[in-house]
Amino acid sequence: MSVQYPQGRATAGEKPGNEPEEAKLQNASKQIVQHAIRQAVRQVSQESRQRQESTSDTRGTFQRGVGELTKKHEKK
């Protein structure tokens, strides 16, 4: 994913020829955005994994419960 930033736009209070500072700010901004995206992806992956584990744990409990009821029924 590539983020496009406007080039060469001077706003109020900026001095012409301030490109190195602008480039530093753009790089810092890109790094912040990339870090935030990576962190969000990591969090979503972790939550998804936890949901899957929780679902499989619950499914296993129900299956065990069914088997136990069947065994009790067979003893009677």
Side-chain angles (χ1 to χ4, degrees):
M1 182 167 88
S2 177
V3 178
Q4 297 294 323
Y5 294 94
Q7 295 288 329
R9 288 189 179 173
T11 59
E14 280 190 12
K15 297 177 185 175
N18 210 8
E19 287 84 17
E21 189 65 29
E22 183 69 23
K24 287 179 187 178
L25 291 173
Q26 286 180 0
N27 285 335
S29 177
K30 287 178 187 179
Q31 288 177 354
I32 290 168
V33 170
Q34 289 173 347
H35 176 74
I37 290 170
R38 273 189 244 115
Q39 193 172 13
V41 168
R42 203 174 300 127
Q43 181 178 349
V44 168
S45 297
Q46 183 180 11
E47 290 172 358
S48 177
R49 205 174 313 116
Q50 288 173 346
R51 249 185 264 115
Q52 287 175 344
E53 290 172 0
S54 175
T55 302
S56 66
D57 289 348
T58 303
R59 231 182 270 140
T61 301
F62 287 143
Q63 289 172 350
R64 275 186 252 122
V66 169
E68 290 171 8
L69 288 174
T70 304
K71 289 177 186 175
K72 287 179 183 176
H73 183 343
E74 289 174 358
K75 288 181 181 179
K76 288 184 179 179

